[in-house]
Amino acid sequence: MYYIVMNMNCEDCGRYIPHSVYKYIGFCEEQGKVVFNEPPTNCDTVSKTTMDSLSSVFGSLGWVYCIDCKAPIFEMEEAVKHIASHHLITTRFMYDSVAAEEVGAVS
Amino acid sequence: MEELRYILGGPQGGGLETTSEVLSWSFAKSGYGILSDREYFSNIKGRHSYVHATVSGTAIPFHLSYPVNLVGAMDAETVFTHFQEIDKGGYLIYNKDEDNAKFDSIPSIETELKMRLNEFFKANGIGRTLGELAVYLAEKRQINVVALGYSSLLRELQQEASVIAAQASRYVSSILIGSIASLVGLDSSSLAFGLERRFRSGEMLEHNKIFSKIIARHIQTFSYKRPNLGKSSLNRGKMVVASGNDFVAMAKLVGGVRFQSYYPITPAADESFTLEKYEKVGGDHDLIVVFQTEDEIAAVTSAIGASLTGARSASATSGPGFDLMTEGLGWAGINEAPILVTYYQRGGPSTGQPTRGSQSDLLSSVFASHGEFPRIVLSSGDHSEAFWDTIDALNFAEMFQTPVIHLVDKFLANSIASTPMPDVSKIQVQRGSLVKKVGDEYHRFDFSSSVSPRAFIGDERMWYTGDEHNEIGHIDEDSENRIKMMTKRMDKMNLIEKNIPEERRYALYGDKDPEIVLLGWGFIKGVAIKALEQLRNEGIKASYFHIRTFVPFPNESVVSIFRNVGPERVVDVECNYEGQAGVLVRLNTGYQLKKRIVKFTGRPIYLNELVEATKRILSGSSQEVLSLGA
């Protein structure tokens, strides 16, 4: 079963690896470059998130992360609610080599 | 415009540090004075953080104030959090791609703020979206709204150059840097200096230069009148632009510290991280050993151990870490080991507000550890004081062979300021009484003086124990010995009283015949001095009594103020609940401060709220609790 995906942008695609805080910045696995959440007009390889794939993620990893809520999710039912609210959930993050320079030393 | 006040906000870890640093260096390079305070959430990434800055071309600023002239937003949350702080005619730079974002749908906005926003939006007939708020601000509040499409700007950059995937957040920083530089007319060479200092060289630097030009083109399409900061008239010679943490680290390096221990803790760790950059072990030019220990107990005890071997030793921590150090502090006290603990104050108790500021550890520093032993407690009011107080603290520790605690507020520690370059030729390293000739009869705790000449472990036989001991260091519980040894140690307080002059213990600013005296310490200094100026402009004569050492306490001067002005006209101004300096005033002088202005939200005291609170005190109020700041 496909989850409802209308007017798809990059962030709706399974090949979009989002930045951990800016959801409009991500890395496209297909193109091998940074993309800025564009409508994938030149892209015929959109990979839609399915309930089956979500179920598989919870079966293996046991969690997803909601970029909008800045929080991990451990229950599939909750993840579905976030998707319904157009939140961006992911299990992968775009590599950020300068993160350590941008966060305060909190301890 | 006498000064430019701005707020830059965004998600923690989203490039705010880079934005703030590049702008600070660029403004300083252009000849302006700057103070830039970082307020951040205590999680690692994602939550709302912001930088609040004052830039001036007429004086080096040491205060922050509301309203601000400009808010630069990296995300929608920043706009919802700070839009009410923008002055009429001010500027808002934001991402119009997020126009549909609703404040009540942003999970990271705290519930209390959502409720306040809900009331405000309802009362003003605004829809809940960012776009509708932007229209309201432009039409009803006369705010110049600079709406930019961040995604399209980034795409434009990608077409002209490219984007380094692993450093994507840096480009969001560049949007704010470029926009603000273009709006205020910052000269391109100063901006280039700021960018070069941050990125050194390579692709990222080139991309940023290109991106600044792209952004400037977009900013030029807005026909708003530009904020005019005017040409700087400051001429202070060579300036240092650095945080309070870095000023303390620099002072430790040039002040002769050879061993620094720490366990990472906010807001102290940045000092040790800076020192680590200069760590060099072995070879002919050892500079400093920086030792990250397993906890603060090990941190303080390793500093004590290094001190006993002759190394000038220090540690840096904040409240929870200092609590663990207290037994070690007593060990240093009974063994007369000179150590410096730089104590960065954050909000407590317990974990409290780890990334927020406070002045609530004063009593802890004065009374920490059981038993009785001499100590010195200093506190710094600005970046320059933090530098020179560190040098003094190191000297005092060795001159009196006692622990010294140097209090630095988080506000000072984490704020970046432009400060005249300290004249390091004036630094004197005073190591106190040392054994000139090593012999068989060495007594480490010789009774002939309260400060016995020191020999170092390895040079002579000596014994150290946490127990009471005799002159050579062996455990001794004899009553006569106890009386002699306690008296020898405690007599150092008389030496300290004699050798640290009254004028070193405080500073007095403002009117000589004041209607009101503000009494404070630490980072209160900058805002209090600026408040005197504003009060004077309104016909109110005021002065500020700044306490620089709590042990020894400036008794004579405090008594003199109370006698000359009268207790009713002295106001305690502090960032804590109890008025802890007021407690020490009473303890040391017998005078009770009856009026006070306190703030314990974790945010610094701002100029406008201090001026207004002072006026309310003059009108009869006895206590003002301040709350400004997101």
Side-chain angles (χ1 to χ4, degrees), chain B residues 106-156:
Chain B
I106 299 177
S108 48
I109 295 183
E110 293 191 285
T111 310
E112 294 87 346
L113 176 58
K114 278 182 184 166
M115 287 166 67
R116 290 196 295 270
L117 287 172
N118 199 38
E119 282 173 25
F120 179 88
F121 277 57
K122 260 188 189 169
N124 290 281
I126 315 168
R128 300 197 314 277
T129 68
L130 182 61
E132 287 164 290
L133 175 62
V135 171
Y136 165 82
L137 293 174
E139 291 179 355
K140 306 285 186 194
R141 300 273 291 269
Q142 287 78 52
I143 286 167
N144 301 302
V145 175
V146 181
L148 299 169
Y150 288 10
S151 292
S152 56
L153 282 172
L154 289 161
R155 274 185 221 116
E156 210 173 315

Side-chain angles (χ1 to χ4, degrees), chain A residues 30-74:
Chain A
E30 190 64 28
Q31 300 178 64
K33 68 169 191 176
V34 182
V35 291
F36 303 104
N37 193 27
E38 333 178 19
T41 48
N42 301 323
C43 179
D44 53 7
T45 58
V46 172
S47 163
K48 296 171 183 177
T49 305
T50 67
M51 289 300 272
D52 289 344
S53 62
L54 196 59
S55 176
S56 161
V57 165
F58 274 99
S60 53
L61 286 175
W63 61 271
V64 293
Y65 185 85
C66 177
I67 301 279
D68 293 82
C69 296
K70 297 158 183 151
I73 299 166
F74 301 99

Side-chain angles (χ1 to χ4, degrees), chain B residues 223-518:
Chain B
S223 57
Y224 305 135
K225 186 184 171 196
R226 302 296 195 247
N228 181 13
L229 193 51
K231 196 170 163 55
S232 174
S233 58
L234 288 173
N235 184 17
R236 300 294 179 107
K238 212 167 188 179
M239 304 290 284
V240 181
V241 180
S243 69
N245 292 116
D246 285 348
F247 269 96
V248 173
M250 287 187 270
K252 284 186 177 175
L253 282 171
V254 297
V257 171
R258 293 293 171 263
F259 183 89
Q260 162 99 353
S261 58
Y262 77 105
Y263 179 78
I265 190 164
T266 310
D270 286 349
E271 181 207 306
S272 297
F273 296 161
T274 297
L275 286 172
E276 278 173 345
K277 292 177 188 167
Y278 299 90
E279 185 172 34
K280 187 172 177 295
V281 185
D284 296 333
H285 302 288
D286 288 1
L287 191 55
I288 188 168
V289 171
V290 184
F291 190 30
Q292 182 181 333
T293 54
E294 67 270 33
D295 57 30
E296 286 87 350
I297 299 171
V300 74
T301 48
S302 62
I304 292 167
S307 157
L308 299 181
T309 68
R312 213 164 224 221
S313 301
S315 188
T317 191
S318 63
F322 187 77
D323 290 349
L324 291 182
M325 288 185 175
T326 52
E327 189 178 358
L329 201 67
W331 201 99
I334 200 168
N335 283 292
E336 306 181 44
I339 54 159
L340 165 61
V341 178
T342 312
Y343 190 165
Y344 291 92
Q345 297 177 90
R346 69 189 213 185
S350 190
T351 304
Q353 292 186 309
T355 58
R356 307 293 180 183
S358 174
Q359 296 183 316
S360 54
D361 299 330
L362 174 57
L363 297 178
S364 153
S365 67
V366 169
F367 297 110
S369 203
H370 58 279
E372 299 162 292
F373 61 92
R375 75 186 71 191
I376 292 170
V377 179
L378 311 174
S379 154
S380 297
D382 58 37
H383 295 66
S384 179
E385 269 187 22
F387 181 90
W388 291 107
D389 284 350
T390 303
I391 303 287
D392 280 353
L394 291 164
N395 286 339
F396 291 158
E398 293 200 314
M399 285 162 63
F400 303 110
Q401 295 180 16
T402 193
V404 175
I405 300 159
H406 178 201
L407 291 165
V408 181
D409 321 351
K410 174 263 165 184
F411 310 121
L412 171 52
N414 285 174
S415 62
I416 296 173
S418 51
T419 301
M421 173 76 86
D423 180 358
V424 291
S425 70
K426 290 184 176 162
I427 294 172
Q428 290 185 331
V429 174
Q430 296 173 348
R431 303 221 60 191
S433 179
L434 301 175
V435 171
K436 291 190 179 87
K437 192 178 170 188
V438 177
D440 290 341
E441 296 303 313
Y442 178 63
H443 290 178
R444 169 65 189 93
F445 304 103
D446 191 302
F447 283 137
S448 60
S449 164
S450 59
V451 179
S452 315
R454 271 197 308 156
F456 304 134
I457 288 176
D459 290 342
E460 184 48 84
R461 281 179 301 175
M462 61 193 80
W463 287 264
Y464 288 105
T465 167
D467 293 53
E468 186 57 284
H469 44 258
N470 59 22
E471 284 181 288
I472 58 173
H474 284 169
I475 295 173
D476 191 327
E477 295 190 10
D478 177 74
S479 296
E480 199 172 306
N481 177 73
R482 170 71 169 172
I483 290 169
K484 279 185 175 177
M485 195 56 79
M486 278 295 290
T487 306
K488 164 190 147 48
R489 280 195 301 266
M490 296 307 290
D491 195 43
K492 287 182 191 179
M493 285 316 301
N494 293 324
L495 263 187
I496 290 166
E497 281 288 339
K498 279 181 201 159
N499 285 282
I500 300 181
E502 182 75 11
E503 58 271 21
R504 169 64 183 83
R505 305 179 194 181
Y506 78 101
L508 185 60
Y509 301 89
D511 208 287
K512 288 191 168 54
D513 180 26
E515 294 167 55
I516 190 164
V517 177
L518 306 178

Side-chain angles (χ1 to χ4, degrees), chain B residues 2-121:
Chain B
E2 189 189 333
E3 58 186 32
L4 172 74
R5 299 187 291 267
Y6 63 77
I7 280 178
L8 311 172
Q12 175 108 314
L16 200 56
E17 281 292 293
T18 297
T19 315
S20 167
E21 287 181 355
V22 171
L23 284 172
S24 297
W25 291 326
S26 301
F27 277 119
K29 187 67 177 171
S30 275
Y32 297 104
I34 182 158
L35 177 71
S36 173
D37 171 52
R38 178 163 56 108
E39 292 296 325
Y40 53 111
F41 214 89
S42 59
N43 75 343
I44 303 299
K45 282 188 90 174
R47 295 297 294 270
H48 176 65
S49 297
Y50 67 96
V51 167
H52 185 176
T54 305
V55 181
S56 172
T58 56
I60 296 175
F62 280 102
H63 64 280
L64 301 164
S65 191
Y66 286 105
V68 296
N69 310 105
L70 186 152
V71 165
M74 287 175 154
D75 61 0
E77 182 170 350
T78 298
V79 183
F80 287 125
T81 307
H82 296 284
F83 72 90
Q84 296 185 78
E85 295 159 0
I86 310 172
D87 202 4
K88 194 175 169 186
Y91 300 81
L92 168 68
I93 302 165
Y94 85 105
N95 183 6
K96 68 179 179 185
D97 297 341
E98 295 184 303
D99 269 349
N100 292 327
K102 294 174 181 169
F103 68 83
D104 48 2
S105 301
I106 299 177
S108 48
I109 295 183
E110 293 191 285
T111 310
E112 294 87 346
L113 176 58
K114 278 182 184 166
M115 287 166 67
R116 290 196 295 270
L117 287 172
N118 199 38
E119 282 173 25
F120 179 88
F121 277 57

